[in-house]
Amino acid sequence: MLKVLIIFILLMVGVVLGPMLAGHQGYVLIQTDNWNIETSVTGLAIVLILSLLVILFVEWILRRLFRTGAKTRGWFKGRKRSRARKQTNAALIKLAEGDHRQVEKLLSRNADHAEQPMVNYLLAAEAAQQRNDEARANQHLERATELAGNDQLPVEITRVRLQLARNEDHAARNGVDRLLEVAPRHPEVLRLAEQAYVRTGAWSALLDILPAMEKAHVADETHRLALQQQAWLGLMNQAMADQGSEGLKRWWHDQSRKTRQETALQVAMADHLIVCDDHDSAQTIVLDGLKRGYDERLVLLMPRLKTGNPEQLEKALRQQIKQHGATPLLHSTLGQLLMKHGEWEQASEAFREALKQRPDAFDYAWLADTLDRQHKPEEAAQMRRDGLLLTLKNNP
């Protein structure tokens, strides 16, 4: 606009001053080595104006050309972005259909022109892994790494996820350890850490992330408790495998009082000690657990105990019967303990009390054995028939 105004002003000046200077045009000489150019002042002014107009015209043409080139490039880029957007949307539909081959194909095509190229490549890598095409998955993952810049967290999460899918468990654990240093409360990192630690038997590390899982609301409380129990059992197995009964007891002693009072852990610990043939230590744990509270799992361990002091177990059972009533399990367990040191009559009475409350094939068999010891063959045979009929009824 300013240039047009200048040209207009020059033209007006020429129209006004031209006639005035017609009789006084003056003389202009331009001399070079080989040329002499002679003209009037008016002619020179006209040449300058025409030259300016030519320059402006050339500038206009060039500007239109460059603007057209930019528009053309913008049109091509916009076309690629639009195509990438459509292909990404189509890939999401194929993902819902489970067509991982098409998902990878659509996401990786024109991915560089997508709104979030890194995301396209990461999803393409996972789709390729679903088809067990590790080479393509690695290729997409490396391209995503290049595009991620300083934000490598999504890339590393995807890398660990792919490693777990390939059963590269120790590599995944190494990756998870690094991720936890950067994002210790990231929900997906914690979920991947759970898988990696369970697969590699990293039970202490699994226990360490449980508080973070609770704060991040990863899984429900039931699942977290199950993980905790699994971790404790894993640590027990490791201690028993490394140092046997003594190592197991040292490990148990090193735990907090609250941990040692967990009934599920007491049951597991007693069971491990029985396997190690350390029945005295197992009996101590069972009795301590029953003192704090009744639990059938502890009672079920009693018949497996082989100690030189069974009277403590019988005393504990009779105490439980007084406190919790004459349950079939307590009477049946008491009968089995009495059988071990030959108190056949008392054992038979205990089995009869258990059978009054519920029929059980094992109790019938044990009662028959005690009756045989008391020289009552006919009654023993009847108990065995009743037990057999019960077994056939329950397993037609």
Side-chain angles (χ1 to χ4, degrees):
M1 186 69 183
L2 180 62
K3 294 178 180 179
V4 174
L5 180 62
I6 293 173
I7 293 173
F8 179 76
I9 292 172
L10 291 175
L11 288 175
M12 291 299 295
V13 170
V15 170
V16 174
L17 296 180
M20 296 175 61
L21 299 175
H24 307 279
Q25 296 184 24
Y27 176 76
V28 176
L29 172 63
I30 300 174
Q31 187 176 27
T32 65
D33 291 339
N34 299 318
W35 297 90
N36 290 330
I37 300 174
E38 299 179 3
T39 183
S40 64
V41 174
T42 303
L44 179 62
I46 293 172
V47 170
L48 291 175
I49 292 172
L50 291 176
S51 299
L52 178 61
L53 291 174
V54 170
I55 291 172
L56 293 175
F57 179 71
V58 172
E59 180 192 7
W60 178 79
I61 292 176
L62 292 176
R63 188 168 60 250
R64 290 295 301 269
L65 288 174
F66 285 120
R67 185 180 300 170
T68 301
K71 288 182 178 179
T72 303
R73 290 192 297 273
W75 182 81
F76 279 112
K77 289 181 179 179
R79 179 181 173 85
K80 290 180 179 180
R81 283 195 295 268
S82 176
R83 185 182 301 171
R85 188 182 305 111
K86 292 179 181 178
Q87 290 171 342
T88 301
N89 293 334
L92 295 177
I93 296 174
K94 292 297 181 181
L95 180 62
E97 297 175 358
D99 189 348
H100 298 292
R101 182 179 296 277
Q102 285 298 318
V103 170
E104 182 207 348
K105 182 178 179 181
L106 291 168
L107 285 173
S108 59
R109 185 183 295 174
N110 292 315
D112 289 333
H113 302 283
E115 294 180 0
Q116 296 187 17
M118 178 187 69
V119 176
N120 277 47
Y121 280 114
L122 291 178
L123 292 176
E126 295 206 41
Q129 184 59 47
Q130 289 289 335
R131 300 188 297 104
N132 294 320
D133 191 343
E134 296 185 6
R136 293 282 293 173
N138 291 335
Q139 180 181 348
H140 296 318
L141 190 61
E142 291 307 314
R143 180 57 181 152
T145 304
E146 296 173 1
L147 295 172
N150 294 328
D151 187 17
Q152 291 290 325
L153 182 62
V155 177
E156 294 306 316
I157 288 176
T158 303
R159 191 187 308 278
V160 171
R161 194 181 293 120
L162 297 182
Q163 289 169 341
L164 288 171
R166 299 169 185 171
N167 294 319
E168 298 174 0
D169 299 332
H170 291 282
R173 179 186 172 183
N174 186 39
V176 158
D177 289 339
R178 293 197 303 269
L179 284 172
L180 286 173
E181 294 178 359
V182 179
R185 293 188 181 179
H186 193 289
E188 183 61 18
V189 172
L190 291 170
R191 279 188 283 267
L192 295 173
E194 173 196 333
Q195 296 182 52
Y197 291 155
V198 169
R199 291 190 187 185
T200 57
W203 307 119
S204 295
L206 180 60
L207 288 173
D208 290 339
I209 67 170
L210 287 178
M213 291 178 66
E214 182 179 1
K215 292 179 180 178
H217 303 290
V218 176
D220 55 21
E221 185 177 1
T222 302
H223 182 71
R224 291 194 298 269
L225 287 175
L227 284 177
Q228 187 181 49
Q229 299 296 331
Q230 185 178 5
W232 287 124
L233 291 175
L235 290 172
M236 287 183 191
N237 289 331
Q238 288 179 355
M240 185 174 69
D242 293 341
Q243 299 176 332
S245 173
E246 293 302 319
L248 191 59
K249 287 189 289 187
R250 279 195 298 271
W251 175 85
W252 181 253
H253 183 266
D254 291 338
Q255 305 310 309
S256 66
R257 183 177 180 182
K258 182 180 178 181
T259 300
R260 294 198 303 270
Q261 290 179 355
E262 290 281 344
T263 304
L265 299 184
Q266 290 174 341
V267 173
M269 184 64 184
D271 180 71
H272 281 68
L273 289 170
I274 292 172
V275 172
C276 292
D277 201 28
D278 190 348
H279 295 270
D280 291 331
S281 299
Q283 177 171 307
T284 301
I285 291 176
V286 168
L287 293 176
D288 287 344
L290 288 174
K291 287 178 182 178
R292 293 187 175 88
Y294 174 75
D295 193 286
E296 291 187 352
R297 292 171 294 178
L298 292 170
V299 175
L300 288 170
L301 289 173
M302 287 185 170
R304 296 173 55 193
L305 295 171
K306 302 174 184 178
T307 65
N309 191 11
E311 292 80 9
Q312 288 186 352
L313 295 175
E314 295 174 20
K315 181 180 178 180
L317 279 174
R318 296 185 191 278
Q319 184 67 28
Q320 294 296 323
I321 291 173
K322 289 180 181 180
Q323 293 178 356
H324 303 284
T327 66
L329 176 61
L330 289 174
H331 275 298
S332 177
T333 305
L334 179 59
Q336 295 174 59
L337 295 180
L338 292 170
M339 285 179 64
K340 288 185 177 182
H341 44 91
E343 298 183 15
W344 309 113
E345 185 175 354
Q346 294 183 42
S348 63
E349 291 175 0
F351 288 126
R352 290 182 195 277
E353 289 295 328
L355 289 170
K356 284 180 183 178
Q357 299 180 54
R358 57 100 176 90
D360 182 83
F362 289 104
D363 285 344
Y364 277 121
W366 286 321
L367 176 56
D369 290 340
T370 61
L371 291 173
D372 280 335
R373 294 287 187 169
Q374 298 176 62
H375 308 290
K376 299 178 181 179
E378 294 181 0
E379 191 176 0
Q382 181 62 43
M383 292 299 104
R384 288 192 174 91
R385 282 193 296 270
D386 291 345
L388 178 60
L389 290 174
L390 181 62
T391 302
L392 293 175
K393 180 181 179 181
N394 293 332
N395 300 284

